[in-house]
Amino acid sequence: MRADDTRVDPPLRVDELTTLRAFLDFHRDTLRWKTAGLTSEQLNAAHPPSSLTLGGLVKHLALVESGWFAEKLDGDTLMRPFDTVDWVADGDWEFHSAADDSPEELRALLDAAVADSDRRIESAFAAGGLDGTSARESRRPGEGAFSLRWILVHMIEEYARHNGHADLLREALDGSTGE
């Protein structure tokens, strides 16, 4: 582990909720680590042929947090600024608009989304455990609502996949590597 890596490894023998949340937090912190200390220019640097940027990933994952925990789990609207976006006009708005945000704004947006998600996880678990179901149902016919367990596992997968992208983008920027 590098000296600037402050992530906490998930515990080896704890209950299921603690395990899932610890892995989700580990991956959230991995994204924070991969984007730490970068300028706006660095966060917005694309590496062709991809247009993906680290800033875009941060804003995307803030949207994903709000989408799964506020919108799908609780049936609420997306958090600001995502609640007023014309998604039909630009389905990748969060990736494109990240260039307009400072590193501090991007970090604050992600941190606010994570804090809101954590509150919603606690509330959902208290109400129905890991088998409790979401307010919104799957778009796939006949599948019904998502369990809190499914949403947590999906979020771990979402972060893990994008952290792979972040690892490559960060290495291309300044040579920084790490797990």
Side-chain angles (χ1 to χ4, degrees):
M1 182 181 299
R2 290 183 6 195
D4 62 343
D5 179 2
T6 60
R7 298 172 300 164
V8 175
D9 286 321
L12 300 179
R13 291 169 300 284
V14 291
D15 63 273
E16 187 177 5
L17 177 64
T18 303
T19 299
L20 292 170
R21 291 190 73 177
F23 271 95
L24 180 55
D25 286 341
F26 181 84
H27 282 289
R28 288 166 167 168
D29 288 342
T30 298
L31 181 67
R32 289 179 179 114
W33 177 46
K34 292 293 175 181
T35 59
L38 297 178
T39 65
S40 289
E41 181 179 272
Q42 290 171 312
L43 285 172
N44 292 306
H47 301 279
S50 175
S51 62
L52 190 62
T53 67
L54 286 167
L57 283 175
V58 171
K59 198 163 189 176
H60 172 70
L61 284 161
L63 169 63
V64 171
E65 289 271 356
S66 186
W68 277 102
F69 293 112
E71 193 175 44
K72 288 180 184 67
L73 180 63
D74 284 350
D76 288 342
T77 58
L78 292 170
M79 68 182 283
R80 293 189 56 75
F82 307 116
D83 60 337
T84 59
V85 172
D86 181 353
W87 294 104
V88 173
D90 186 356
D92 288 329
W93 177 85
E94 75 277 22
F95 290 108
H96 304 142
S97 67
D100 300 328
D101 301 322
S102 71
E104 296 78 18
E105 289 168 325
L106 289 169
R107 176 63 63 93
L109 182 64
L110 179 64
D111 289 346
V114 166
D116 185 61
S117 296
D118 284 345
R119 182 186 58 75
R120 292 173 187 278
I121 292 166
E122 290 170 18
S123 179
F125 184 77
L130 288 170
D131 293 321
T133 56
S134 62
R136 300 229 174 121
E137 294 188 353
S138 170
R139 291 180 288 185
R140 298 182 297 213
E143 291 202 4
F146 301 92
S147 71
L148 176 59
R149 176 184 293 104
W150 191 97
I151 293 171
L152 287 167
V153 170
H154 175 70
M155 288 299 296
I156 293 165
E157 177 271 333
E158 184 83 13
Y159 271 95
R161 181 166 39 92
H162 288 311
N163 282 337
H165 301 135
D167 195 36
L168 293 171
L169 290 169
R170 181 65 190 250
E171 184 176 6
L173 276 176
D174 63 9
S176 293
T177 61
E179 66 176 51

